[in-house]
Amino acid sequence: MAIKITDECINCGACEPECPNNAIYEGGVEWAMADGTTIKGSYVLMDGSSIDADQRNAPLAVDSYYIVPNKCTECQGFHEEPQCAAVCPVDCCVPDEMYQESEEELLAKKEKLHI
């Protein structure tokens, strides 16, 4: 399951540099699959749609930091626990119930992001 940032976020920015997939963005900042990954060309998202890895996409939030679910692996294959949650001073990095993924699925996603 991906991690999400709740409305309790105080925009401290502690989480952003901790993410090994560069899945965390400051509010209002556009995101791309290629940011911080080795993905090139076309990439199939979890919903089955396809985008260009370099395509800049609309921010998922404008007022607070946000996590791109298609890039979040809960730090599987990198760390014992999600690093964003470990460093968050207000505990606003929590599991996103909209994205149920097994450990195997998260590890497979990590492999796709970092070939």
Side-chain angles (χ1 to χ4, degrees):
M1 157 178 328
I3 302 294
K4 68 179 178 181
I5 298 176
T6 66
D7 293 338
E8 287 79 34
C9 178
I10 58 172
N11 289 311
C12 70
C15 58
E16 185 180 22
E18 299 301 321
C19 182
N21 301 313
N22 198 47
I24 303 174
Y25 292 82
E26 187 174 359
V29 174
E30 293 181 336
W31 65 275
M33 288 304 297
D35 295 341
T37 70
T38 58
I39 298 172
K40 303 283 186 230
S42 182
Y43 185 83
V44 178
L45 301 174
M46 290 188 298
D47 67 4
S49 63
S50 183
I51 64 171
D52 184 88
D54 291 315
Q55 174 183 321
R56 304 308 299 173
N57 300 283
L60 302 182
V62 293
D63 295 327
S64 64
Y65 280 81
Y66 66 90
I67 299 174
V68 176
N70 282 282
K71 296 177 74 175
C72 180
T73 63
E74 285 191 41
C75 295
Q76 289 291 323
F78 294 103
H79 304 287
E80 297 278 324
E81 64 182 338
Q83 294 301 288
C84 56
V87 301
C88 182
V90 293
D91 297 325
C92 68
C93 296
V94 299
D96 187 341
E97 59 282 345
M98 291 184 59
Y99 299 95
Q100 302 283 333
E101 296 171 277
S102 68
E103 182 177 339
E104 291 78 24
E105 290 170 318
L106 292 168
L107 287 169
K109 186 193 297 185
K110 179 226 181 228
E111 293 304 314
K112 284 175 59 178
L113 295 172
H114 303 282
I115 299 171

